[in-house]
Amino acid sequence: GRLTFFPGNQTVNLPSINFMKRHGTVFLNAYTNSPICCPSRAAMWSGLFTHLTESWNNFKGLDPDYVTWMDLMEKHGYRAQKFGKLDYTSGHHSVSNRVEAWTRDVKFLLRQEGRPMVKLTGHRKQFRVMETDWQNTDKAVNWIKEEAVNFTQPFILYLGLNLPHPYPSPYAGENFGSSTFLTSPYWLEKVNYEAIKIPKWSSLSEMHPVDYYSSYTKNCTGEFSKEEVRNIRAFYYAMCAETDAMLGEIISALRDTGLLGKTIIIFTADHGELAMEHRQFYKMSMYEGSSHVPLLVMGPGVREQQQIPNVVSLVDIYPTMLDIARIPVPQNLSGYSLVPLLREEAESEASPGPRPSWVLSEFHGCNVNSSAYMLRTGKWKYITYSDGSSVPPQLFDLTADPDELINVAIKFPVTVHSLDKILRSIVNYPKVSSSVQEYNKQQFISWKQSLGHNYSNVIANLRWHQDWLKDQKKYENAIDEWL
């Protein structure tokens, strides 16, 4: 998200993003409602917070027949088409991912990911690295040029890309995760190495207990040289540049067909990616790198060269789409239409009162050993865990401390109290946390029973096998104790 505005955008040239900024609006504080693929997408397609969709992890999303904003637009006469990654009923996950999510309350620490690494592929002229994404972009471009251009009624096209998500890492063994930052020299040359900041890390002993668990399970607690960290960040930015080029293809197709002036384009993401900030890669974190997403809008009626500081989140997409299409917005949504902000007008009749001054994000999946809740309002980011008392909360002043290095929760107890009060008025989070714990146990028990005598062998050989096999009995006992 922060690559779409100053100073983050000094590190890599993103011409299509810059085009959208010149001719449209960029949201400076847009957040995911859950920093992992499927729960985030469930929120975006339903307009509902994660505790309402009960999309607790990457394989538990919306019912396949759930009515999304796109379904409603189709019902109201829009021609609709989807290409690429959808992931809102169930995301990409392995058995390992599932078991890791269910067992996060178990008292053990096991590495669940390959160590993050970089890999250079191809040559200086090779710009199609993520072939599947390019193929889906081609499909979308062809659809615009061959179909959309001839429609008499309006259309809605969705293109889902996998980039800049890291790539699978086969070297990590069976059920491998995605810890490889991969690009070609063509994209890497677009990165300004001099502008790359090396993030500051707390010592392992000073880390917040949940951050330590995340860093450990993501295999990031070992030694990393400055050069390694700089490379991971550079390759990540190069992957962002490749993504930007795909956006450019869509903009060009609309321009070539004469549709650009009458089409609204929205560019956003389901979550960010940490590129070694806070000694982590991947997402599943409330830190800015993971929870702050890009959100840019351009098209007829959208103000040009506008930067919007209001906090917004992905649940706002549902009412926004309906508002743009002049379809009545259902009353029970968690989000609010962005149209008034985009057009600088009073809230429309349809919207249920004024937009709140906060956004909510929550996380209940793997690599984090506790349900996490984040409330962002004004300069504050408040993060609380589980029942609100067994794990210490975090409070960051994003104005004074944009890198989120100083937890000031103890220093500002009155602020913590008032933010916690707002959070509890939105969601009874201790209750949600305990229902997730219950769900995790039930799912694990069913899975264990389904394996019968194979259980010991299967659980030992999941992604954590390198650690597990050192002391199988100990880890099995820890699970029995938890159950």
Side-chain angles (χ1 to χ4, degrees):
R2 295 163 305 160
L3 280 185
T4 61
F5 53 87
F6 186 82
N9 56 14
Q10 290 175 301
T11 50
V12 60
N13 186 19
L14 303 172
S16 311
I17 293 283
N18 290 339
F19 181 84
M20 285 192 72
K21 280 165 68 177
R22 266 199 313 283
H23 298 283
T25 290
V26 59
F27 287 87
L28 300 176
N29 291 298
Y31 287 87
T32 179
N33 301 104
S34 187
I36 193 171
C37 320
C38 184
S40 167
R41 289 158 185 270
M44 185 191 78
W45 286 97
S46 69
L48 298 174
F49 289 138
T50 301
H51 61 273
L52 300 174
T53 62
E54 297 188 348
S55 177
W56 302 136
N57 51 42
N58 242 7
F59 54 92
K60 188 178 188 305
L62 302 175
D63 292 334
D65 55 357
Y66 192 93
V67 180
T68 67
W69 45 261
M70 193 181 253
D71 297 327
L72 287 177
M73 289 173 82
E74 233 178 330
K75 246 185 224 153
H76 283 78
Y78 273 72
R79 298 290 290 268
Q81 181 59 273
K82 304 195 262 276
F83 293 113
K85 186 173 175 175
L86 282 166
D87 278 8
Y88 59 82
T89 55
S90 179
H92 179 77
H93 56 86
S94 58
V95 173
S96 247
N97 275 135
R98 277 188 240 186
V99 179
E100 289 155 17
W102 298 331
T103 56
R104 62 194 207 154
D105 289 321
V106 181
K107 296 283 183 278
F108 55 46
L109 254 186
L110 297 159
R111 287 169 299 169
Q112 299 167 4
E113 300 286 350
R115 178 185 162 101
M117 59 174 286
V118 298
K119 187 176 171 194
L120 201 59
T121 186
H123 46 81
R124 290 181 64 173
K125 289 210 166 72
Q126 184 176 346
F127 69 92
R128 291 176 75 120
V129 180
M130 177 33 116
E131 196 47 60
T132 312
D133 280 353
W134 280 108
Q135 286 165 6
N136 284 319
T137 303
D138 293 343
K139 283 180 194 164
V141 164
N142 292 337
W143 188 81
I144 291 167
K145 290 185 169 177
E146 290 160 23
E147 311 248 351
V149 69
N150 301 315
F151 292 150
T152 48
Q153 69 264 65
F155 71 86
I156 167 79
L157 166 66
Y158 168 88
L159 172 61
L161 303 173
N162 204 60
L163 273 181
H165 195 297
Y167 289 75
S169 306
Y171 74 88
E174 198 70 32
N175 292 308
F176 47 78
S178 298
S179 58
T180 300
F181 291 82
L182 172 79
T183 195
S184 70
Y186 179 89
W187 297 114
L188 201 56
E189 282 172 7
K190 302 196 180 303
V191 177
N192 176 4
Y193 261 77
E194 276 65 59
I196 296 174
K197 270 176 53 182
I198 302 290
K200 284 200 180 85
W201 290 349
S202 312
S203 67
L204 292 172
S205 59
E206 286 169 344
M207 283 171 92
H208 185 276
V210 172
D211 289 340
Y212 181 79
Y213 178 89
S214 295
S215 185
Y216 194 97
T217 55
K218 290 175 180 179
N219 206 348
C220 289
T221 49
E223 289 300 312
F224 285 85
S225 69
K226 275 199 164 139
E227 190 187 8
E228 262 184 292
V229 173
R230 184 176 281 115
N231 273 332
I232 288 171
R233 293 173 73 72
F235 276 60
Y236 172 62
Y237 297 142
M239 289 158 70
C240 292
E242 187 178 356
T243 314
D244 181 83
M246 296 175 199
L247 169 63
E249 292 293 307
I250 301 298
I251 293 171
S252 296
L254 291 168
R255 187 191 286 122
D256 295 348
T257 48
L259 291 169
L260 189 59
K262 47 187 177 181
T263 305
I264 288 180
I265 303 177
I266 300 178
F267 178 85
T268 189
D270 52 353
H271 52 73
E273 294 285 346
L274 291 158
M276 301 312 286
E277 299 98 325
H278 305 280
R279 216 182 182 116
Q280 293 185 44
F281 79 107
Y282 241 18
K283 53 267 182 172
M284 303 124 170
S285 162
M286 294 304 172
Y287 284 125
E288 291 287 283
S290 158
S291 65
H292 196 142
V293 296
L295 179 56
L296 299 100
V297 186
M298 67 178 269
V302 176
R303 284 178 59 94
E304 298 199 4
Q305 296 184 26
Q306 178 179 223
Q307 295 195 331
I308 295 182
N310 305 51
V311 287
V312 299
S313 67
L314 293 178
V315 286
D316 296 331
I317 299 288
Y318 192 118
T320 303
M321 299 310 272
L322 299 188
D323 204 356
I324 290 168
R326 300 189 178 85
I327 298 168
V329 179
Q331 289 302 297
N332 63 341
L333 298 178
S334 305
Y336 292 77
S337 171
L338 300 167
V339 169
L341 293 174
L342 292 168
R343 299 197 171 139
E344 271 205 335
E345 58 192 40
E347 299 280 335
S348 64
E349 298 300 303
S351 67
R355 159 179 295 283
S357 61
W358 49 262
V359 290
L360 168 71
S361 190
E362 46 187 301
F363 184 73
H364 308 282
C366 55
N367 292 110
V368 180
N369 56 342
S370 167
S371 286
Y373 305 84
M374 183 266 274
L375 192 75
R376 170 75 214 275
T377 179
K379 65 178 186 175
W380 298 113
K381 179 187 283 189
Y382 173 59
I383 308 165
T384 186
Y385 298 92
S386 183
D387 53 10
S389 57
S390 53
V391 181
Q394 289 165 297
L395 178 69
F396 298 104
D397 175 345
L398 293 184
T399 309
D401 177 27
D403 298 328
E404 303 168 291
L405 297 169
I406 307 151
N407 177 10
V408 292
I410 290 168
K411 195 174 162 190
F412 296 105
V414 177
T415 305
V416 166
H417 181 74
S418 75
L419 294 174
D420 195 70
K421 201 171 161 186
I422 297 169
L423 180 60
R424 285 171 193 262
S425 73
I426 306 160
V427 53
N428 179 348
Y429 71 83
K431 190 174 168 205
V432 172
S433 300
S434 101
S435 63
V436 175
Q437 286 175 321
E438 196 46 48
Y439 160 85
N440 285 341
K441 247 178 215 188
Q442 290 311 322
Q443 292 292 312
F444 183 85
I445 289 166
S446 312
W447 175 75
K448 184 182 178 188
Q449 286 169 345
S450 75
L451 292 172
H453 295 311
N454 281 337
Y455 165 71
S456 287
N457 184 40
V458 173
I459 198 162
N461 288 291
L462 298 178
R463 286 198 307 183
W464 52 35
H465 64 275
Q466 288 165 332
D467 286 349
W468 187 282
L469 292 169
K470 291 173 193 160
D471 197 344
Q472 278 181 270
K473 206 79 218 109
K474 175 177 141 187
Y475 299 123
E476 278 198 41
N477 289 344
I479 285 179
D480 291 341
E481 208 171 300
W482 164 66
L483 291 176

